[in-house]
Amino acid sequence: MREIDLHDFSVTEAMEFFIRVCKEEYKKNNTKIKIIHGYGSNGEGGKIKKCIRNYLKDNKEYFLTITGEEIDLNQGYTIITIKKSLQDMDSMLENEIIRFCELAKSNEKIVGKLRKYGEKNIQESIKKLLNKGKIKEVIKGKYRHYETNKMD
């Protein structure tokens, strides 16, 4: 079982690293990963822990999840089994961007709304969608926005 420690990451970096590791491990046929995310020293539950667990909950079709609390009452880790390829998540992210951009949205709004995917993955998906002609850039005032390209 692969073990990853996310303590020294920001939330965005942790999510990007987590998704990258999941894709790599699935390709190697290693589907079990122990995620050490910490439990949050302020007593509220750490930001990384919340983000990872929300992401896992939102994507149940990709993961089986066992929390540390279920094993030994330790809130600082989660063990996952990857059920299917996360490559499919790229198209899932693209579809979410397309739906979210029915009305023009700034890059910041898109990243804020879909941050669970990690900023790097979001930027890559925006570029792909622009290249495919599925979204287009529009200028509102002096700001760049993205909008679903409505095909007639």
Side-chain angles (χ1 to χ4, degrees), residues 6-152:
L6 305 177
H7 278 99
D8 294 330
F9 291 96
S10 69
V11 174
T12 301
E13 292 168 340
M15 287 306 299
E16 289 172 355
F17 180 71
F18 167 70
I19 291 170
R20 188 175 75 243
V21 167
C22 286
K23 288 178 180 181
E24 290 168 1
E25 293 302 307
Y26 188 84
K27 284 179 188 174
K28 295 179 196 173
N29 221 17
N30 176 22
T31 58
K32 267 198 184 289
I33 301 173
K34 181 176 184 177
I35 308 154
I36 301 169
H37 44 61
Y39 60 87
S41 59
N42 63 6
E44 296 175 22
K47 291 178 184 177
I48 293 173
K49 172 186 160 188
K50 284 181 182 178
C51 193
I52 289 283
R53 289 194 175 170
N54 284 336
Y55 180 82
L56 294 169
K57 187 173 77 178
D58 291 345
N59 295 287
K60 287 180 185 172
E61 68 272 21
Y62 292 92
F63 305 101
L64 291 174
T65 304
I66 301 171
T67 65
E69 296 95 293
E70 296 172 83
I71 298 168
D72 60 9
L73 303 178
N74 183 338
Q75 299 177 37
Y77 72 94
T78 303
I79 295 175
I80 63 164
T81 302
I82 306 166
K83 297 193 292 189
K84 64 181 183 176
S85 171
L86 270 64
Q87 300 303 327
D88 300 341
M89 293 191 86
D90 295 340
S91 60
M92 191 166 76
L93 172 57
E94 288 180 15
N95 289 333
E96 283 200 51
I97 292 170
I98 290 167
R99 279 194 304 275
F100 187 60
C101 292
E102 289 285 325
L103 298 173
K105 301 287 190 306
S106 68
N107 187 64
E108 292 76 21
K109 290 261 187 201
I110 297 168
V111 170
K113 172 76 172 170
L114 303 173
R115 67 183 164 274
K116 68 182 180 184
Y117 291 100
E119 186 170 358
K120 182 179 176 193
N121 296 320
I122 294 167
Q123 299 305 335
E124 288 173 4
S125 289
I126 288 171
K127 284 180 191 171
K128 286 180 194 173
L129 290 169
L130 285 167
N131 289 335
K132 292 178 188 176
K134 303 257 182 166
I135 62 173
K136 62 184 177 184
E137 281 185 358
V138 292
I139 304 299
K140 291 178 108 183
K142 54 184 176 179
Y143 299 101
R144 181 177 304 153
H145 287 67
Y146 300 97
E147 181 177 66
T148 302
N149 198 0
K150 296 157 185 82
M151 304 287 180
D152 294 326

